[in-house]
Amino acid sequence: MNPYLLIIAISSVIILSFFFNIIAQKTNIPSVLMLIGLGIGAKAVMDSNNLGNNDLQLDSLLEVLGNIGLVMIVLEAALDLKLEKSKTKLILSSLLVAFLGITVSMFGLGAFFMYIFPDTSMYTAIVYAIPLSIMSSAIIIPSVGRLQGKKKEFMVYESTFSDILGIMVFYFMIGADGGAGNGSIALEIFLNIFATLALSIIVAYVMVYLFQHLTMQVKLFLIIGVLLLLFAVGKYFHLSSLLIILTFGLVLNNTDVFFRGRISHLFDKEKVAPILKDFHSLTLESSFLLRTFFFVIFGLSITVSSLYNLEVAINSVVIVAILFTVRFIALKVFAKEHIFPELFIAPRGL
């Protein structure tokens, strides 16, 4: 491909994404849906001109962009969250809603998959149900900008908790394919949560302490590089790496909570304040760029022909009905003040 045409295409996508954000603010239509639509439209144009995309290795690009983008999005969200005693109920309710939503949804969808595919084992059905049971923070976080106060914070916490819990359960279900019992799986998940939480706290304190002592002009991308390294290493060892990213962002943005008493002297808030502002801007811009190309490429990889299949459409409606029923019950039980519009903000996927 001509490199100048490629530069034109990349630049055009970035510019269109900027205008999609403006449209989203005025219409409440998530910009990510417009980006996916742009990708689907681009694929149609490419197919009509016999420009195949088999050589683009879309699956590999999606995996890399998706993981890096998720790190930046969660970090951006964490840098917006202030931990206060008055928010304890909000955080706890979002955790319970995320936990109940994943648990009931994966068993409900698993039962439905076993019904439509009678030869499917319970284990296989649940494994395939887990990705559909997880709230997608990659879509939710950039889509709730117009929500105010606690409603926005609730969606950020819930989607992040859903990602963390869902990814841990998914990896351990895959690891249990060798025949581990239910008790063994539960024990491994508990140990994983404990190990990841302990590691996250240690890493967060060390990173924040080092953050204020970096004197080089180029240091913000160094921090991001270290976080990406920790994320990838954690994923390799099947730890919930998002918890590391979330904890670092929370500690950095809530130093009054985490650096108090005997360790208060380890942190100089006045020195870090301007750096934190620049770091926040960098994560915001980076997540915008990564999100833009991820969802456009995702649109390029979608095959829309299956949408015209009646059986697929009926099964899809049943799946959506199960997910929304479970979500309504979870919100009704644990977060009555967050039913609308939170009920309808429920994109799914790892």
Side-chain angles (χ1 to χ4, degrees):
M1 179 181 290
N2 188 305
Y4 301 110
L5 291 178
L6 184 60
I7 293 174
I8 291 173
I10 292 174
S11 304
S12 300
V13 168
I14 295 174
I15 294 170
L16 285 173
S17 181
F18 174 79
F19 285 106
F20 287 165
N21 279 349
I22 296 176
I23 295 173
Q25 291 175 1
K26 296 182 179 297
T27 63
N28 279 337
I29 299 175
S31 60
V32 294
L33 295 182
M34 292 181 254
L35 290 172
I36 293 173
L38 177 62
I40 294 174
K43 180 180 181 181
V45 172
M46 292 173 67
D47 290 343
S48 64
N49 290 278
N50 295 320
L51 298 174
N53 55 18
N54 295 328
D55 296 331
L56 297 179
Q57 298 181 334
L58 295 182
D59 290 341
S60 298
L61 281 173
L62 278 175
E63 187 172 4
V64 173
L65 287 175
N67 280 292
I68 297 176
L70 188 57
V71 169
M72 300 306 299
I73 288 171
V74 171
L75 181 59
E76 175 195 343
L79 292 174
D80 279 331
L81 297 176
K82 295 294 292 184
L83 295 180
E84 300 171 357
K85 191 174 182 179
S86 59
K87 296 181 180 179
T88 303
K89 180 181 177 182
L90 176 71
I91 297 173
L92 183 60
S93 62
S94 64
L95 175 60
L96 291 173
V97 170
F99 176 77
L100 182 64
I102 291 175
T103 304
V104 180
S105 294
M106 71 181 188
F107 282 106
L109 292 178
F112 178 63
F113 290 160
M114 292 177 67
Y115 171 76
I116 59 178
F117 302 110
D119 297 331
T120 302
S121 66
M122 179 180 291
Y123 166 81
T124 302
I126 290 177
V127 167
Y128 277 96
I130 291 173
L132 293 174
S133 304
I134 299 173
M135 299 279 287
S136 177
S137 63
I139 296 179
I140 289 177
I141 293 175
S143 301
V144 295
R146 296 195 68 182
L147 292 182
Q148 299 297 322
K150 291 185 177 180
K151 286 187 173 291
K152 178 180 179 180
E153 292 182 337
F154 177 85
M155 292 305 306
V156 171
Y157 276 119
E158 184 198 0
S159 60
T160 304
F161 284 138
S162 184
D163 270 329
I164 291 168
L165 294 173
I167 289 171
M168 285 192 293
V169 173
F170 183 73
Y171 275 120
F172 279 110
M173 285 297 293
I174 294 176
D177 194 21
N182 293 334
S184 176
I185 297 174
L187 178 61
E188 287 186 13
I189 292 177
F190 174 78
L191 292 176
N192 178 277
I193 294 174
F194 180 79
T196 307
L197 184 59
L199 177 63
S200 299
I201 293 173
I202 295 172
V203 168
Y205 272 98
V206 173
M207 290 282 291
V208 171
Y209 177 76
L210 294 177
F211 186 88
Q212 64 182 327
H213 289 89
L214 292 175
T215 56
M216 298 173 59
Q217 287 187 329
V218 181
K219 54 193 170 188
L220 299 182
F221 270 111
L222 172 63
I223 296 293
I224 291 177
V226 173
L227 290 174
L228 289 173
L229 175 63
L230 292 171
F231 173 81
V233 171
K235 290 275 281 189
Y236 183 81
F237 289 103
H238 293 176
L239 297 175
S240 183
S241 303
L242 283 179
L243 190 56
I244 298 175
I245 307 302
L246 177 65
T247 304
F248 169 75
L250 288 175
V251 172
L252 183 60
N253 198 41
N254 297 273
T255 53
D256 293 339
V257 175
F258 293 98
F259 287 87
R260 57 171 58 181
R262 295 182 178 180
I263 62 172
S264 59
H265 67 281
L266 297 177
F267 189 83
D268 187 347
K269 189 173 183 178
E270 297 299 325
K271 182 190 296 184
V272 173
I275 305 176
L276 177 59
K277 183 179 179 181
D278 292 339
F279 188 63
H280 194 183
S281 298
L282 178 63
T283 57
L284 184 66
E285 298 281 353
S286 300
S287 62
F288 164 78
L289 189 64
L290 290 164
R291 184 170 63 246
T292 293
F293 288 103
F294 172 81
F295 286 109
V296 170
I297 295 174
F298 180 67
L300 282 171
S301 67
I302 292 177
T303 302
V304 297
S305 58
S306 61
L307 297 177
Y308 301 105
N309 187 306
L310 180 61
E311 183 179 359
V312 171
I314 293 174
N315 291 337
S316 300
V317 170
V318 174
I319 290 172
V320 171
I322 292 173
L323 292 174
F324 275 107
T325 300
V326 172
R327 178 157 178 76
F328 176 77
I329 294 172
L331 291 172
K332 189 71 174 177
V333 173
F334 294 114
K336 294 181 180 179
E337 67 275 24
H338 293 288
I339 295 180
F340 298 105
E342 290 87 338
L343 172 65
F344 302 106
I345 306 175
R348 304 291 169 140
L350 280 172

